[in-house]
Every structure is written in structure tokens, then in C-alpha cells.
């Protein structure tokens, strides 16, 4: 661990003056909040009004904001050179909810980035952009998108926004199609999709500081024994995961397996492929 940190700080000693972190009250946000101090002198922390409870550290400034509020997002991004964009709906939900936070939200963020001179965005995309591939297929970032719900569709839209705003305005993005970032894998599917918090942090650092990324799509996964994703299209980032889901195998395999025909065992997106439709009541 110490070796990893030393190597990484040697590779990327630069820091931004001010960085924006959205979704800071979420599962990943809470884990990385204290770690992002190494990326910037000042960190603007944001989430929905009312959900950020802890006090600001010396290097932090807390600015609550609903991503669906265009004017507020414009103010939120002012003075920031870079953004780690984690905020939004993070599971399959009715379209109207996804529309506000993830589609209008990502539009508002990129528009704010254009107006406010943000140079680099790390966009928390998701494996659910390609969730309808089978678990016996290996795909890379050039594979046709096959979103497994409105949530995956919104992340697909976010990746397209990233491409558009690079091609038109030169704003660089690394879209990380995150597998499953949790302290440990929760089920058999996550034995393939899991990414440790340390590996995620390393990929974040590379996504922020690697020069000339244009719009790069990277799969966010650890060095698991079996995986579905080929990260060669993101080789420019030099990301080599260190952790693996293997130490959790015995614990996971002690739980009852799903039926072999269950989408959880067949499709990369697992249970997300079957959530919905959401009929109006
Ligand atoms: P989370 O649901 O714990 O955190 C998301 C945060 O976004 C929450 O704190 C929520 O309050 C905030 N948010 C929701 N709507 C908002 C709005 N309209 N305006 C401002 N903030 C809003 O999700 P988690 O697990 O921390 O994931 C972070 C990001 O990474 C999400 O964008 C998620 O889609 C993505 N991701 C996460 C994966 C994982 O394994 N944890 C896998 C794939 C993608
Ligand atoms: C996601 O996109 C979700 O945000 C997260 O909660 C996990 O369920 C993850 O994908 C996954 O596929 O395991």
C-alpha cells in the first residue's frame, strides 16, 4: 500500500488549484472525500441540499446544489479547474427521476464547465451502459452500448456529452464505467465486477492528471481472477489494478448460488436488467 502511494505521488505530483466533487455524501463520495485533498489545494464539496452533514475541513468548501438546477450548477463550477462527477441517481429508477439528476444534471454540468473554463472532468459512468452483454462475453470500450435500463441510458448519455464537449470545446473527460466499488464484493456477480476503493482512487488520480486524455472510456475494475472487460482502449492512463476479489471468494461462495438461468448469473448488468417497468400509479 505504502509502495503504491509513493509510486503514484511520484508519477503525479501536480495539483489543481480548485477541484469540485459532486455526490460527496454518497457511498463512494464519503470514501474519497478525505483522499481528494492530494489532488487540489481547494476542494469544493457538493451534494443535494440537506444531505451533507459533516463540517468542512480547512481545504474544503461545502456548496449544496441540486444538479437539475442549471443556474446553481453554473455557480457551483465557477473557479474550478477540474470536476469529479459522482452526483446523481445511482440505481435503476423511474425515467422522470433519472431525467432530472442524470440527464439534465449532466447537461448542466457540461454547460457550466464550458462557461466556467473547467479543463478536466472525471465522469462516474457505469457498467450498466453495457449491461445487456452476457457474462461469457469480453467487451472493450468500442463495443456497441447496450444499456440495461434508464439509469444505464443516462450514463450512456453522459458519455456522449463528454465526447461532444471534447470535440466542440476541448473539455477533457475520463468516463469511468465503474463496475462495483464497495468495501468488498457482495455477491457472485461482483467477483467479476468489483473494484476496490484503493484501485478506484488510483484510477481517479490517473484520470485527473494523465495528459491529453481527450475523451477516454475506462472500465473501473480490480484485477479480478475473472472479468468481462478489456481495458486496452484506456491504456493511455497506465492504470494497473492491484487488488482482486479473490480473497472474498470463500465467503461469497458460502452463500446459495442463483439459478443458472437467473439474469444475475447470465448478464453483465445482473439484476438491473429486470428492474421496471415503472407504470404510473
Ligand atoms: P450514491 O447513490 O451513494 O451517491 C450518489 C450521490 O449523488 C448521493 O449522495 C445523492 O444524494 C447525490 N445526488 C442524487 N441526485 C442528485 C441531484 N439531483 N443533485 C445533486 N446530487 C444528487 O452512489 P455511489 O455508489 O456513491 O456512486 C457514485 C457515482 O458512481 C454515481 O454516479 C453512480 O452512478 C456511479 N457508479 C457507482 C458504482 C458503485 O459501484 N458504487 C458503480 C457504477 C457507477
Ligand atoms: C452501479 O452502477 C450502481 O451505482 C451500484 O450501486 C452497483 O449496483 C453497481 O452498478 C453494480 O453493477 O454492481
Amino acid at each position: 500500500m505504502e509502495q503504491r502511494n509513493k509510486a503514484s505521488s511520484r508519477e503525479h505530483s501536480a495539483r489543481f488549484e480548485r477541484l469540485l466533487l459532486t455526490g460527496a455524501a454518497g457511498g463512494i463520495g464519503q470514501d474519497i472525500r478525505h483522499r481528494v485533498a492530494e489532488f487540489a489545494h481547494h476542494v469544493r464539496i457538493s451534494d443535494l441540499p440537506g444531505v451533507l452533514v459533516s463540517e468542512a475541513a480547512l481545504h474544503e468548501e461545502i456548496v449544496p446544489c441540486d444538479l437539475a438546477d442549471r443556474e446553481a450548477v453554473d455557480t457551483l463550477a465557477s473557479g474550478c479547474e477540474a470536476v469529479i462527477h459522482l452526483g446523481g441517481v445511482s440505481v435503476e429508477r423511474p425515467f422522470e427521476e433519472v431525467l432530472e439528476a442524470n440527464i439534465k444534471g449532466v447537461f448542466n454540468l457540461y454547460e457550466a464547465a464550458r462557461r466556467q473554463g473547467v479543463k478536466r472532468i472525471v465522469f462516474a459512468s457505469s457498467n450498466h451502459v453495457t449491461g445487456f452483454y452476457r457474462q461469457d462475453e469480453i467487451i472493450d470500450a468500442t463495443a456497441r452500448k447496450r444499456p440495461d435500463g434508464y439509469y444505464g441510458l443516462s450514463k450512456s448519455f453522459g458519455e456522449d456529452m463528454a465526447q461532444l464537449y471534447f470535440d466542440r470545446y476541448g473539455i477533457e473527460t475520463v468516463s469511468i464505467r465503474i463496475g462495483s466499488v464497495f468495501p468488498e464484493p457482495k455477491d457472485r456477480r461482483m467477483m467479476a465486477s468489483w473494484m476496490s476503493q484503493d484501485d478506484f482512487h488510483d484510477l481517479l488520480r490517473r484520470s485527473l492528471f494523465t495528459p491529453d486524455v481527450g475523451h477516454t472510456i475506462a472500465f473501473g475494475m480490480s484485477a479480478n481472477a475473472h472479468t468481462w472487460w478489456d481495458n486496452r482502449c484506456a491504456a493511455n492512463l497506465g492504470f494497473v489494478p492491484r487488488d482482486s476479489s479473490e480473497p472474498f471468494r470463500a465467503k461469497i461462495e458460502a452463500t446459495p448460488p442463483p439459478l443458472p438461468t437467473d439474469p444475475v448469473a447470465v448478464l453483465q448488468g445482473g439484476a438491473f436488467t429486470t428492474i421496471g417497468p415503472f407504470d404510473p400509479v
Side-chain angles (χ1 to χ4, degrees):
M1 168 67 64
E2 208 187 322
Q3 220 172 3
R4 176 209 299 251
N5 288 340
K6 271 186 196 151
S8 304
S9 54
R10 263 203 310 276
E11 283 158 25
H12 304 293
S13 53
R15 288 167 100 194
F16 292 106
E17 187 53 34
R18 178 168 278 101
L19 170 83
L20 167 63
L21 173 66
T22 69
I28 297 182
Q30 285 185 47
D31 173 62
I32 66 165
R33 178 172 163 180
H34 70 281
R35 305 190 192 206
V36 300
E38 74 171 86
F39 299 151
H41 298 289
H42 304 281
V43 182
R44 187 169 294 160
I45 301 286
S46 187
D47 205 297
L48 280 170
V51 304
L52 273 164
V53 284
S54 54
E55 305 254 305
L58 274 180
H59 67 284
E60 289 179 338
E61 170 196 8
I62 295 183
V63 182
C65 173
D66 184 340
L67 291 161
D69 179 339
R70 186 169 176 177
E71 241 174 81
V73 177
D74 198 57
T75 306
L76 181 68
S78 71
C80 295
E81 288 170 273
V83 181
I84 298 174
H85 184 50
L86 303 178
V89 169
S90 65
V91 289
E92 183 60 357
R93 296 293 300 158
F95 182 72
E96 293 72 14
E97 283 180 41
V98 174
L99 175 67
E100 292 301 315
N102 293 22
I103 294 185
K104 288 187 190 167
V106 91
F107 168 77
N108 291 342
L109 183 80
Y110 274 88
E111 264 301 277
R114 177 185 68 78
R115 289 164 52 89
Q116 301 294 343
V118 172
K119 294 178 172 55
R120 176 75 59 100
I121 295 176
V122 181
F123 171 56
S125 184
S126 170
N127 71 88
H128 296 286
V129 168
T130 49
F132 265 108
Y133 284 95
R134 295 174 56 90
Q135 293 181 8
D136 56 13
E137 293 174 286
I138 294 185
I139 57 167
D140 68 16
T142 64
R144 186 161 54 97
K145 293 175 181 175
R146 299 181 69 184
D148 58 28
Y150 303 133
Y151 166 67
L153 190 63
S154 74
K155 295 296 185 180
S156 175
F157 174 80
E159 291 183 5
D160 283 349
M161 280 295 291
Q163 188 65 51
L164 174 64
Y165 275 62
F166 173 65
D167 289 336
R168 274 208 182 197
Y169 307 116
I171 298 169
E172 293 193 297
T173 297
V174 175
S175 293
I176 305 180
R177 283 188 190 161
I178 306 171
S180 308
V181 172
F182 296 103
E184 51 184 79
K186 296 177 181 174
D187 54 29
R188 285 158 203 261
R189 174 182 163 274
M190 288 192 195
M191 289 301 292
S193 63
W194 185 67
M195 182 178 215
S196 71
Q197 291 164 320
D198 285 347
D199 280 339
F200 182 69
H201 183 68
D202 186 26
L203 181 53
L204 263 187
R205 181 190 296 108
R206 291 166 189 281
S207 301
L208 285 168
F209 296 108
T210 302
D212 304 324
V213 292
H215 174 219
T216 295
I217 297 174
F219 289 94
M221 60 185 174
S222 280
N224 303 323
H226 180 69
T227 184
W228 313 313
W229 306 315
D230 173 343
N231 242 340
R232 273 178 289 186
C233 297
N236 56 332
L237 301 176
F239 171 61
V240 181
R242 310 279 175 100
D243 295 320
S244 160
S245 58
E246 216 47 33
F248 303 100
R249 181 171 294 282
K251 184 174 170 187
I252 294 291
E253 290 188 350
T255 61
L259 287 174
T261 51
D262 188 326
V264 165
V266 176
L267 297 170
Q268 295 188 6
F272 277 55
T273 62
T274 59
I275 303 170
F278 301 93
D279 292 327
V281 275

